[in-house]
């Protein structure tokens, strides 16, 4: 699920940097190279032993090494300093991992350290074209033919996009996997988000979205009583600047407020980042913010699994469409109007 690990990392208060002082039985080691030989910071994040752990390490001339600790198998995600995913591993104490990353192609990863990690990397390389053409279909095909393989659970959690597909379909697909191949340390967070999506889909009418406007007033955005309402949930980042803002600007120019009721909802970590963002982007449409990031109470019924996320409702306030793609959101608005 895109973006889920990133926002769990931001919400976790118990992040810890793990050093190499512990014994080999109490740790795992990761050695890696990055194509292009950059010198940069690298983040590694994973849930282990009941809490989220993060390691920040330096990359010098494309090479890096760090240590971590997890008594149970865990999915570890490597990102750059802006949280862009670079690669993933299936880690556990007592294991040594090697990974080769191409920042320009996340499917070109090579990795070893245990059987699952090796097969995972090979699956991404061998199915790169299919994954780009039909991500969910390719993952679903693997899950359907490998219900007893833990890699099926890993692909559901890390690749399957349940925010642009039916949550019920994703839930059914996950249930096909044998219980022993669905370790809670891997699937618990994903299953929780699925239940939020299912609850939102079951709602007859979504309640108003509460937000703080640019004047620091608490406001409510009604999701009923308009031909079409659009809530665009995003954060201040290159993705927002490059894709979300241009789409919102075009929609705002093309449709009257009586046609398209639109809220630009920010999940930035603080109001200063949000304010500077809407000023820099010259935002003239309704814009709001709320504390809590993607897990903000104001967004509980909308249940975004990642950002950006676009949710559309009809005149009754019932959800009619959602997507993580700004371009797809723009096409759907035009089709509905």
């Amino acid at each position: 699920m895109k973006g889920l690990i990133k926002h769990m990392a931001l919400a976790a208060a118990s992040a810890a940097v793990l050093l190499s002082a512990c014994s080999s039985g109490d740790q795992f080691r990761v050695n890696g190279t990055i194509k292009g030989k950059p010198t940069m910071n690298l983040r590694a994040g994973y849930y282990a032993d009941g809490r989220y752990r993060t390691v920040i390490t330096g990359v010098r001339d494309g090479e890096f090494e760090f240590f971590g600790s997890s008594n149970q198998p865990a999915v570890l995600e490597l990102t750059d300093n802006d949280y862009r995913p670079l690669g993933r591993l299936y880690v556990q104490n007592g294991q040594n991992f090697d990974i080769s990353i191409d920042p320009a192609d996340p499917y070109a990863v090579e990795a070893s350290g245990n059987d699952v990690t090796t097969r995972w990397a090979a699956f991404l390389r061998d199915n790169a074209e299919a994954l780009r053409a039909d991500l969910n279909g390719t993952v679903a095909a693997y899950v359907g033919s490998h219900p007893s393989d833990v890699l099926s659970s890993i692909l559901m959690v890390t690749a399957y996009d349940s925010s642009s597909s039916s949550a019920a379909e994703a839930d059914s697909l996950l249930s096909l996997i044998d219980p022993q191949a669905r370790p809670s340390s891997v699937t618990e967070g994903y299953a929780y988000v699925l239940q939020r999506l299912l609850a939102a889909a079951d709602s007859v009418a979504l309640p108003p979205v509460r937000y703080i406007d640019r004047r620091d007033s608490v406001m409510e955005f009604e999701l009923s009583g308009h031909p079409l309402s659009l809530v665009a949930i995003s954060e201040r980042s290159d993705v927002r600047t490059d894709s979300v803002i241009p789409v919102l600007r075009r929609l705002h120019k093309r449709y009257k407020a009586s046609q398209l009721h639109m809220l630009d909802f920010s999940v930035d970590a603080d109001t200063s980042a949000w304010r500077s963002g809407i000023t820099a982007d010259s935002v003239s449409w309704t814009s709001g913010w709320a504390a809590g990031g993607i897990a903000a109470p104001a967004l509980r019924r909308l249940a975004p699994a990642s950002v950006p996320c676009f949710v559309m409702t009809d005149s009754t306030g019932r959800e009619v469409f959602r997507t993580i793609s700004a371009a797809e959101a723009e096409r759907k608005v035009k089709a509905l109007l």
Side-chain angles (χ1 to χ4, degrees), residues 277-293:
I278 60 176
T279 300
D281 295 328
S282 301
V283 170
S284 57
W285 49 86
T286 303
S287 180
W289 175 90

Side-chain angles (χ1 to χ4, degrees), residues 3-15 47 52 83 269 292-296:
L4 179 59
I5 296 179
K6 168 184 169 182
H7 291 282
M8 283 180 172
L10 293 176
S14 57
Y47 272 99
Y52 191 86
Y83 296 97
I294 197 172

Side-chain angles (χ1 to χ4, degrees), residues 242-294:
D242 293 344
S243 62
V244 178
I245 290 299
V247 165
L248 295 182
R249 181 171 286 115
R250 287 194 295 270
L251 292 176
H252 179 68
K253 183 177 180 180
R254 182 185 181 103
Y255 299 105
K256 298 178 180 179
S258 59
Q259 297 173 289
L260 178 62
H261 191 47
M262 191 167 68
L263 172 63
D264 180 9
F265 191 101
S266 168
V267 294
D268 281 307
D270 57 68
T271 53
S272 60
W274 166 60
R275 290 183 187 284
S276 64
I278 60 176
T279 300
D281 295 328
S282 301
V283 170
S284 57
W285 49 86
T286 303
S287 180
W289 175 90
I294 197 172

